Amino acid sequence: MEIQTKLKILSDAAKYDVSCSSSGSSRKNQTGGIGNGHLAGICHSWSDDGRCISLLKILLTNYCVYDCAYCVNRVTNDVPRAAFTPEEVAELTINFYRRNYIEGLFLSSAIYKSPDYTMELLLKAVKKLREEYRFNGYIHLKGIPGADFRLIAEAGKFVDRMSVNIELPSQQGLKLLAPQKSKESIVKPMNFIYSQIIQKNDEKKRFKKVPLFVPAGQTTQLIIGATPDRDLNILKLSENLYRRFSLKRVYYSAYVPVASNPNLPSITTKPPLIREHRLYQADWLLRFYGFTANELLDEQKPDFDIELDPKSDWAIRNLGMFPVEVNRADYEMLLRVPGIGVRSALKIVAARRTHPLSYESLKKIGVVLKRAKHFITCQGKFYGEVGLNDKLIRQCLVLKKQEKPDNASRFEQLSIFSLLPDDPKPEDTLASITGEF
């Protein structure tokens, strides 16, 4: 099989892994131009400092011995199959890098023959890149559940980030849809990677030179909508993962129906993209805004409101804590006001040291007043039109979110948004990057 055919099959198979979002297009290149936006394999990810990084995103192989009902690569599914050799992965990465198409590699794999055999092939590919090609770029590698820890430990020396995907949020979901996997086989390698990272960090304090081990940390992915798990359970799981293993990110992937199965949603079911978006928003609230899962949801309300972001929904359910005076509220309370993000809260705290803030100055700081005005007072004055009435505030916020900007029609060609009830606004796109609401 030609290398280009393999690339087409294995990059397409990798698109369901959302640890980095896919990109690329079929646009025809201009003669004499540079760069290439070809669909196969190129995706974009974001670094901690906000830079966009192009990655070659591929599977080593989509041959799989597992039969997970939700997975397009399951052994019983009739799809084109292919497998790279470790040498081909290394050569592809270097050739793409030399052409300035990519800055790094995102390498995953189905389970080929056995977890140990697959992990050995992945290790061989990244080791070849680092030692033979002296590749210094970013490498994100999948840790294979069930593989020998010695293989994972060796691979961790050569890669920047490693992830072990949980996929299904509950043990019941695994038994139902992926009976060959178990919670223990997934959690144990995550715990091992975490313990190795901690050990290396301790050694750095005592020794000048310590070999690197997964310096960019570990991540995981949860599939949303394949099982009847509630948002509360998913968010609690994420919260525990952040606490126990210090994960850098938990990625949420809306389930895309790929097969008919009595244990799965109908093949015609649309991917729950809004639900995925709400979970990402809640995830930011856990990590940067000081919220807990039990504050955002409870047994009486186990799922997020599809029409309202989690922070506004929480504020409306806790109106007794509002309004807060922006000139006196502490930083932690400011973070809980809808329309005030991390940067805005920091600017408010810094600015009011020198002078009281006016309502007009809040907009210049970056506060989204159309949301915040229902929950704050500024110099003692309340600016919300409907008072502290939860139903009317919710109605105001939902109506504003349903209003489309005048130029919204210009963005209709983006097919992903056609799946949504309403188009995300420009500030929602920015919020997904900065984490501010």
Side-chain angles (χ1 to χ4, degrees):
M1 185 181 291
E2 290 185 0
I3 193 79
Q4 194 161 349
T5 307
K6 289 185 181 180
L7 180 61
K8 185 178 180 182
I9 293 172
L10 294 174
S11 61
D12 186 61
K15 69 184 178 185
Y16 297 98
D17 197 321
V18 299
S19 293
C20 50
S21 55
S22 296
S23 182
S25 71
S26 55
R27 173 174 43 81
K28 187 177 180 181
N29 290 336
Q30 293 181 349
T31 304
I34 58 172
N36 193 322
H38 195 271
L39 282 166
I42 308 296
C43 70
H44 292 148
S45 185
W46 301 92
S47 65
D48 284 346
D49 58 3
R51 287 180 298 121
C52 180
I53 302 172
S54 302
L55 300 176
L56 173 62
K57 181 179 178 181
I58 53 174
L59 295 187
L60 180 76
T61 178
N62 64 345
Y63 286 106
C64 192
V65 295
Y66 287 174
D67 194 23
C68 305
Y70 58 87
C71 182
V72 71
N73 297 319
R74 65 189 182 282
V75 65
T76 55
N77 199 21
D78 184 18
V79 294
R81 303 280 178 176
F84 284 125
T85 64
E87 291 76 16
E88 287 174 334
V89 171
E91 288 173 11
L92 261 179
T93 305
I94 293 301
N95 286 329
F96 271 53
Y97 185 79
R98 285 175 177 161
R99 286 170 172 79
N100 204 26
Y101 294 169
I102 61 165
E103 295 170 79
L105 170 68
F106 179 96
L107 182 60
S108 184
S109 179
I111 309 302
Y112 185 41
K113 294 186 180 180
S114 71
D116 281 346
Y117 186 73
T118 308
M119 199 68 218
E120 282 179 10
L121 293 177
L122 292 172
L123 169 60
K124 191 174 179 181
V126 296
K127 192 173 182 180
K128 186 175 282 291
L129 272 169
R130 292 294 195 215
E131 293 188 342
E132 293 187 20
Y133 290 95
R134 304 177 69 81
F135 179 64
N136 292 320
Y138 176 86
I139 298 179
H140 181 155
L141 185 72
K142 284 295 170 185
I144 304 297
D148 193 297
F149 285 172
R150 288 171 293 184
L151 294 170
I152 293 177
E154 183 70 8
K157 297 175 185 174
F158 300 104
V159 303
D160 298 282
R161 174 166 286 184
M162 191 176 284
S163 52
V164 182
N165 284 351
I166 291 180
E167 304 291 19
L168 299 177
S170 65
Q171 181 75 27
Q172 293 80 4
L174 281 172
K175 285 182 179 176
L176 190 66
L177 300 177
Q180 292 158 299
K181 296 181 179 177
S182 66
K183 182 182 175 183
E184 290 72 26
S185 68
I186 299 169
V187 171
K188 281 183 178 177
M190 294 177 75
N191 190 39
F192 175 75
I193 294 170
Y194 171 67
S195 65
Q196 291 294 299
I197 293 173
I198 295 295
Q199 182 181 328
K200 294 299 177 187
N201 289 338
D202 287 340
E203 290 176 2
K204 283 179 186 174
K205 297 174 184 175
R206 291 180 286 143
F207 306 107
K208 280 188 176 179
K209 291 186 178 179
V210 177
L212 291 175
F213 183 86
V214 194
Q218 63 171 327
T219 61
T220 191
Q221 170 182 277
L222 296 173
I223 296 176
I224 307 305
T227 56
D229 293 292
R230 313 304 292 262
D231 291 346
L232 175 60
N233 298 333
I234 295 170
L235 205 60
K236 280 186 173 179
L237 175 60
S238 300
E239 190 176 48
N240 286 331
L241 290 171
Y242 285 125
R243 285 178 180 169
R244 286 185 60 188
F245 306 126
S246 296
L247 294 190
K248 289 294 182 182
R249 286 292 299 272
V250 175
Y251 291 93
Y252 306 94
S253 174
Y255 171 65
V256 179
V258 292
S260 295
N261 186 299
N263 296 322
L264 285 169
S266 164
I267 192 74
T268 58
T269 304
K270 290 184 177 181
L273 297 178
I274 291 290
R275 187 183 175 197
E276 176 195 276
H277 184 58
R278 295 290 177 239
L279 282 165
Y280 271 118
Q281 290 179 318
D283 189 276
W284 280 96
L285 295 179
L286 292 183
R287 292 189 293 146
F288 302 111
Y289 287 75
F291 283 87
T292 64
N294 284 327
E295 283 182 295
L296 296 171
L297 294 171
D298 53 36
E299 296 300 330
Q300 284 70 45
K301 183 181 172 55
D303 294 312
F304 287 113
D305 189 329
I306 293 300
E307 295 182 317
L308 266 183
D309 66 85
K311 192 175 177 184
S312 296
D313 185 47
W314 172 85
I316 289 174
R317 287 187 286 117
N318 292 274
L319 276 181
M321 300 174 70
F322 299 100
V324 299
E325 171 56 50
V326 290
N327 284 296
R328 291 196 300 271
D330 58 32
Y331 172 73
E332 288 74 20
M333 191 60 213
L334 287 173
L335 283 179
R336 293 182 172 239
V337 177
I340 297 182
V342 173
R343 284 185 298 177
S344 301
L346 287 171
K347 287 179 181 178
I348 289 172
V349 172
R352 70 189 185 188
R353 288 176 188 151
T354 55
H355 58 84
L357 292 170
S358 67
Y359 186 71
E360 290 71 26
S361 64
L362 292 177
K363 188 173 183 180
K364 295 177 182 175
I365 284 176
V367 175
V368 183
L369 289 175
K370 64 183 178 183
R371 268 181 270 174
K373 66 182 178 182
H374 299 290
F375 306 97
I376 61 169
T377 59
C378 188
Q379 297 188 5
K381 186 175 180 181
F382 181 68
Y383 289 85
E385 304 97 341
V386 295
L388 289 176
N389 184 307
D390 56 347
K391 293 179 181 176
L392 292 178
I393 292 176
R394 185 182 187 284
Q395 191 175 0
C396 286
L397 294 177
V398 170
L399 285 175
K400 287 183 186 301
K401 290 176 80 65
Q402 290 176 344
E403 292 173 359
K404 292 184 177 180
D406 295 336
N407 60 353
S409 57
R410 290 193 299 166
F411 300 97
E412 288 296 327
Q413 76 274 14
L414 298 177
S415 58
I416 190 172
F417 295 137
S418 65
L419 298 171
L420 305 179
D422 56 352
D423 293 335
K425 295 178 181 179
E427 59 263 33
D428 291 332
T429 305
L430 182 62
S432 68
I433 300 171
T434 63
E436 295 186 8
F437 303 98

